[in-house]
Amino acid sequence: MSKKDDGVNDRMCIVTRESGEADDLIRFVAGPDGNVVPDLKRQLPGRGCWVKAERAIVDKAVAKKLFARALKADAKAGPDLGVEVDRLLAAQLGGMMNMARKAGQFITGSSKVDQAVRALAALAVFHATDAAADGVRKIDQARKAASFLRDDETEIPSFKLFSEGELEGLLGQNAFIHAAALAGQAGEGVVKRAIMLEKYRGGDRLRAHGGAGQPNQ
């Protein structure tokens, strides 16, 4: 791995002081103008620091002015940094959805999704947050039925991360109400990025109580 990804053996959140895997943390660097910049791909040059990939933790790093000390520079983190990270994570997920769609690993439409789930071909399902409850319920029933056929009897994850309008802004004509990621590298990439965005928004805590992540307002 490149030296640009400094701290590779010591990825410690500057807020919680906990070490973790790269996928559980977000790297930040100071840009040429001195503003703190999220480095989601972990490729930007210069000294970097790490923050746990949760919106509340990023906001705390900004409030406590921890970036300047960690980056050893006069780095400025604006109050909207947490929002910017959310936007970038969402854009990254949207890009991967489009890539997976072109690879035949991301399908849309309730009937196709239902069939893929029941055939054990779906890795995860996605719904617009304002999707009709009946449509979501039918696919949930398919997830439940498919779980009995799986070796581990677990249900595949279900995500609600964007409204229909947000999906139109993110994906254009490829926006959907119901969708599913299918097996394959691109499909797995969609699920990986969806999990990260949901966790960033605190959705992992909602999921622990039987729900799915909702976008921050």
Side-chain angles (χ1 to χ4, degrees), residues 5 10 42 63 65 79 91 97 103 107 122-123 125 127 143 147 161 168-169 177 199 202 208:
D5 191 3
D10 187 25
R42 304 185 287 276
K65 297 180 170 55
M97 285 177 171
I107 59 173
L123 299 177
V125 299
H127 307 288
R143 290 169 58 229
S147 70
L161 297 168
E168 289 176 353
I177 301 298
K199 286 184 176 180

Side-chain angles (χ1 to χ4, degrees), residues 135-151:
V136 175
R137 183 168 55 251
K138 288 179 180 178
I139 293 174
D140 282 346
Q141 289 171 348
R143 290 169 58 229
K144 177 72 72 175
S147 70
F148 293 111
L149 302 176
R150 294 167 60 90
D151 291 337

Side-chain angles (χ1 to χ4, degrees), residues 27-60:
R27 184 176 185 263
F28 292 86
V29 300
D33 57 0
N35 290 321
V36 174
V37 178
D39 180 19
L40 298 187
K41 294 184 178 180
R42 304 185 287 276
Q43 295 178 341
L44 295 178
R47 173 182 291 275
C49 65
W50 301 85
V51 178
K52 192 173 181 180
E54 294 182 15
R55 171 70 183 275
I57 304 299
V58 173
D59 287 345
K60 185 175 291 187

Side-chain angles (χ1 to χ4, degrees), residues 1-18:
M1 185 172 288
S2 170
K3 290 183 179 179
K4 288 184 291 186
D5 191 3
D6 56 284
V8 66
N9 295 317
D10 187 25
R11 297 189 187 94
M12 179 182 290
C13 173
I14 63 175
V15 179
T16 67
R17 311 305 295 177
E18 298 172 347

Side-chain angles (χ1 to χ4, degrees), residues 106-110 113 125-133 135-136 139 159-165 167-168 171 174-180:
F106 193 78
I107 59 173
T108 60
S110 58
V113 172
V125 299
F126 298 81
H127 307 288
T129 57
D130 47 356
V136 175
I139 293 174
F159 296 95
K160 292 182 179 179
L161 297 168
F162 308 105
S163 68
E164 183 180 2
L167 284 164
E168 289 176 353
L171 301 173
N174 296 322
F176 59 84
I177 301 298
H178 308 286

Side-chain angles (χ1 to χ4, degrees), residues 61-120:
V62 173
K64 291 183 174 291
K65 297 180 170 55
L66 299 181
F67 287 105
R69 184 171 63 188
L71 295 172
K72 299 187 185 306
D74 185 21
K76 306 176 187 67
D80 59 346
L81 183 62
V83 175
E84 175 66 7
V85 172
D86 186 287
R87 185 189 68 77
L88 291 174
L89 288 172
Q92 190 177 67
L93 173 56
M96 184 55 68
M97 285 177 171
N98 279 331
M99 184 182 300
R101 181 187 61 81
K102 292 177 182 177
Q105 296 170 23
F106 193 78
I107 59 173
T108 60
S110 58
S111 296
K112 290 182 179 179
V113 172
D114 187 282
Q115 292 171 8
V117 170
R118 293 182 185 277
L120 305 185

